[in-house]
């Protein structure tokens, strides 16, 4: 598997994780005020998932341009 193919596979996994975190954040918001103390943790995990996805997409774009 080439570096581009491996990165595409990683992006697919990161995208699934980011979507899952988005749903977790959404579910949490619907249940408020229950579990309100977990807002910052879930939000940070969601942020981190999307940041990792964006970084991987940027790397892919750079590899494809090279």
């Amino acid at each position: 598997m080439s570096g581009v193919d491996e990165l595409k596979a990683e992006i697919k996994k990161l995208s699934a994780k980011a979507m899952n975190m988005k749903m977790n954040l959404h579910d949490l918001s619907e249940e408020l005020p229950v579990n309100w103390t977990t807002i910052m943790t879930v939000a940070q995990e969601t942020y981190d998932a999307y940041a990792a996805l964006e970084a991987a997409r940027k790397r892919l774009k750079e590899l494809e341009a090279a």
Side-chain angles (χ1 to χ4, degrees):
M1 199 185 267
S2 73
V4 171
D5 291 337
E6 289 174 3
L7 191 50
K8 285 182 180 180
E10 179 185 348
I11 288 171
K12 189 172 184 178
K13 290 177 188 176
L14 289 171
S15 181
K17 181 179 179 181
M19 290 298 294
N20 185 51
M21 291 309 305
K22 179 177 97 169
M23 291 308 300
N24 289 347
L25 190 59
H26 177 266
D27 292 346
L28 176 62
S29 72
E30 289 185 336
E31 297 168 359
L32 289 173
V34 175
N35 294 326
W36 70 270
T37 57
T38 63
I39 292 171
M40 294 302 290
T41 302
V42 175
Q44 185 64 56
E45 290 171 355
T46 304
Y47 177 91
D48 293 345
Y50 275 94
L53 178 58
E54 185 177 336
R57 286 179 174 163
K58 183 179 178 185
R59 285 194 313 269
L60 177 62
K61 198 172 195 178
E62 290 169 355
L63 278 175
E64 289 178 334

